[in-house]
Amino acid sequence: MSALVCAMSGENPAEPVVSRKSGHLFEKRLVTKYVEENGTCPVSGQELTLEDLVAVKANNCVKPRPVTATSVPGLLQTFQGEWDTTIKETFELRRLLEQTRQELSHTLYQHDAACRVIARLMRERDEARAELAAASAKGAVAPPMAGVPTAAPG
């Protein structure tokens, strides 16, 4: 008799389900997530819905150890694989962190530049208003009256 093995993880599934369409056996949480994201069978590529998955009733009294975990060299190899995976993930996370830092730095630079432009434009506007008020006070320029159209030159 063969053991039930998930087609995705290669491990003994805690909650085994089988696809009605492809006949492959999966761990329920893994295949559910995959089907929700992709809508296909992870092995055959056929269209698959959650309704196409049927629960398998299996004896869960004792989970067998993987064959590689039955000896010291096998355990060392398993631990080495876990370590390598952890290092790869750490490297990827550091790379993403550096990329995010660069994006943040660029965005902060753009924000700072925009704030400086806004401040310069507000200062120029205030200076123009002050000059207009000073010229109006001297009578050199009449302030525009609300609702009265100004004559076009020409």
Side-chain angles (χ1 to χ4, degrees):
M1 180 175 166
S2 65
L4 299 176
V5 178
C6 174
M8 290 176 72
S9 67
E11 298 290 324
N12 187 14
E15 287 184 75
V17 292
V18 67
S19 167
R20 288 182 185 161
K21 293 186 176 180
S22 67
H24 288 97
L25 183 82
F26 302 101
E27 168 66 47
K28 184 177 181 178
R29 66 178 172 77
L30 294 176
V31 74
T32 300
K33 183 176 180 182
Y34 186 89
V35 169
E36 286 173 349
E37 291 175 1
N38 301 306
T40 60
C41 175
V43 177
S44 66
Q46 294 175 327
E47 187 174 321
L48 190 67
T49 63
L50 295 177
E51 289 78 30
D52 294 327
L53 300 174
V54 179
V56 175
K57 301 208 186 309
N59 185 2
N60 293 330
C61 61
V62 178
K63 290 186 180 180
R65 279 194 275 170
V67 176
T68 57
T70 57
S71 66
V72 173
L75 284 171
L76 290 174
Q77 184 179 9
T78 301
F79 292 146
Q80 183 65 46
E82 289 293 324
W83 177 255
D84 292 345
T85 303
T86 303
I87 294 301
K88 287 178 187 176
E89 184 179 355
T90 302
F91 175 76
E92 182 65 20
L93 287 173
R94 285 184 179 169
R95 188 185 64 76
L96 289 173
L97 175 64
E98 185 60 31
Q99 178 183 353
T100 304
R101 281 182 176 165
Q102 289 175 353
E103 290 172 5
L104 179 61
S105 174
H106 182 69
T107 303
L108 288 174
Y109 176 78
Q110 287 179 333
H111 180 265
D112 184 55
C115 287
R116 289 174 190 256
V117 167
I118 291 169
R120 180 180 53 85
L121 290 174
M122 289 175 66
R123 186 176 59 246
E124 289 175 4
R125 180 202 63 194
D126 292 344
E127 289 171 359
R129 283 183 178 171
E131 289 176 12
L132 180 62
S136 298
K138 290 182 182 177
V141 177
M145 298 176 66
V148 178
T150 56

